[in-house]
Amino acid sequence: MIKKLAGLIAIAAIVVACTTNAITGRSQFKLLPESQLQQMAVGEYQSFLSSNKVIPATSSNRDAEMVSRVGQRIVNAVTTFFKQNNMAQELEGYQWEIKLVQSNEANAWCMPGGKIVVYTGLLPITQNEAALANVMGHEVSHALFGHTNERMSQAIAAQYGGSILDAFMANKSSAAMRNIFGSAVGMSSQLGILAFGRKQELEADRYGMIWAAMAGYNPEEAIGLWERMQAYAGGGGTPEFLSTHPGPERRIEQLRKYLPEAMKYYRPVSK
Ligand SMILES: [Zn+2]
């Protein structure tokens, strides 16, 4: 009986799985309730922090202080944008946190619900605060536009089926689900089990530039940033950001197309 019930819940979830994003206008396949995903994120975030070295954002560590400052400005920009578009309710479950962790990986991510982590290994590539703002804007966009949910839903539909979804609905985080979550968020710089969609990456680039501009950082820095990122990836590292793009030239070309739109939001701030 319980099994049957769970099956029905899964079917109901699939029926409502296709939604259109109000900002991007893109139709998305999402199986997981956002609130439950955010709840799972809190647990995964805590477990990540307890097994990694967090650098406190004090005046004695300028990098951590910078990450915290840039992140907060991005969060403020996003909050303003959503309010202006009458979508403040979309951010209701968000409890933003911004951390810098010690790691040689060139990586950063944002979980659904607003937990943002930057790895120290990313800073030699960002090189300046405006470029960092563009990366953080990119990562925040993945969370805001439900990309984690989309990636997980794809993996569940393609590889796992209903049982894993039933367990999730019953609030049991199976090892498989945690693994899918980690890959979907981009917590590992290795290519995970998920294919990251090109559309999602370009969406994150485009809105990342807008958040950065609204936060007072030049969105044009995104171009130099992704060029450095590609040079880095050519050396053997594969950050999440680069896993799907058709080619370096194509991405830069897209960034240039997005630039005039982002520039409309750009109000430089004095530091
Ligand atoms: Zn990305």
Side-chain angles (χ1 to χ4, degrees):
M1 180 63 195
I2 289 166
K3 243 186 170 176
K4 264 191 182 166
L5 208 63
L8 284 175
I9 292 168
I11 289 163
I14 288 163
V15 170
V16 295
C18 274
T19 53
T20 301
N21 186 281
I23 294 177
T24 64
R26 186 167 63 82
S27 171
Q28 297 180 294
F29 172 67
K30 292 191 283 191
L31 290 174
L32 312 171
E34 201 60 29
S35 59
Q36 231 166 304
L37 202 53
Q38 290 180 10
Q39 206 180 312
M40 181 182 185
V42 171
E44 293 305 303
Y45 177 68
Q46 288 310 334
S47 109
F48 176 85
L49 291 188
S50 63
S51 53
N52 284 275
K53 188 179 172 235
V54 177
I55 300 172
T58 59
S59 52
S60 63
N61 191 298
R62 296 182 65 187
D63 285 344
E65 208 188 14
M66 172 179 69
V67 165
S68 167
R69 173 175 63 243
V70 172
Q72 196 51 57
R73 284 183 182 167
I74 294 287
V75 167
N76 293 346
V78 162
T79 307
T80 303
F81 186 96
F82 276 65
K83 264 188 201 154
Q84 284 170 348
N85 288 279
N86 296 318
M87 292 175 67
Q89 75 282 356
E90 298 260 326
L91 300 178
E92 261 170 19
Y94 272 69
Q95 300 204 317
W96 299 96
E97 279 188 50
I98 303 145
K99 303 273 190 231
L100 176 67
V101 300
Q102 185 71 51
S103 167
N104 292 331
E105 277 183 51
N107 200 10
W109 41 256
C110 176
M111 289 180 176
K115 311 301 187 203
I116 306 167
V117 167
V118 173
Y119 297 29
T120 50
L122 184 68
L123 300 180
I125 300 170
T126 54
Q127 292 178 11
N128 65 66
E129 200 164 321
L132 176 66
N134 279 280
V135 178
M136 291 178 84
H138 174 102
E139 295 306 327
V140 163
S141 299
H142 281 317
L144 291 172
F145 295 133
H147 294 168
T148 309
N149 198 335
E150 267 187 295
R151 290 168 176 175
M152 291 179 75
S153 302
Q154 253 171 13
I156 291 165
Q159 299 176 34
Y160 292 92
S163 59
I164 190 173
L165 197 58
D166 296 343
F168 180 77
M169 293 301 182
N171 275 321
K172 285 179 224 139
S173 303
S174 57
M177 194 58 122
R178 294 186 63 192
N179 190 25
I180 296 171
F181 180 86
S183 293
V185 166
M187 289 169 78
S188 166
S189 67
Q190 305 300 313
L191 282 183
I193 51 170
L194 303 182
F196 297 137
R198 196 182 129 255
K199 277 183 187 167
Q200 295 168 338
E201 289 307 310
L202 292 179
E203 222 165 75
D205 284 350
R206 178 182 166 192
Y207 287 93
M209 289 168 89
I210 291 177
W211 316 139
M214 287 179 76
Y217 298 106
N218 192 342
E220 198 170 359
E221 287 290 337
I223 293 167
L225 161 78
W226 297 117
E227 281 170 349
R228 292 194 292 280
M229 207 79 94
Q230 275 148 359
Y232 169 83
T238 311
E240 175 267 338
F241 335 101
L242 296 167
S243 47
T244 51
H245 280 275
E249 301 78 14
R250 174 113 168 81
R251 185 173 207 167
I252 301 300
E253 187 189 307
Q254 282 295 332
L255 292 172
R256 289 194 198 286
K257 276 188 195 159
Y258 296 148
L259 189 57
E261 179 191 26
M263 282 310 255
K264 288 183 198 158
Y265 293 90
Y266 181 35
R267 305 280 179 276
V269 288
S270 50
K271 280 174 205 157

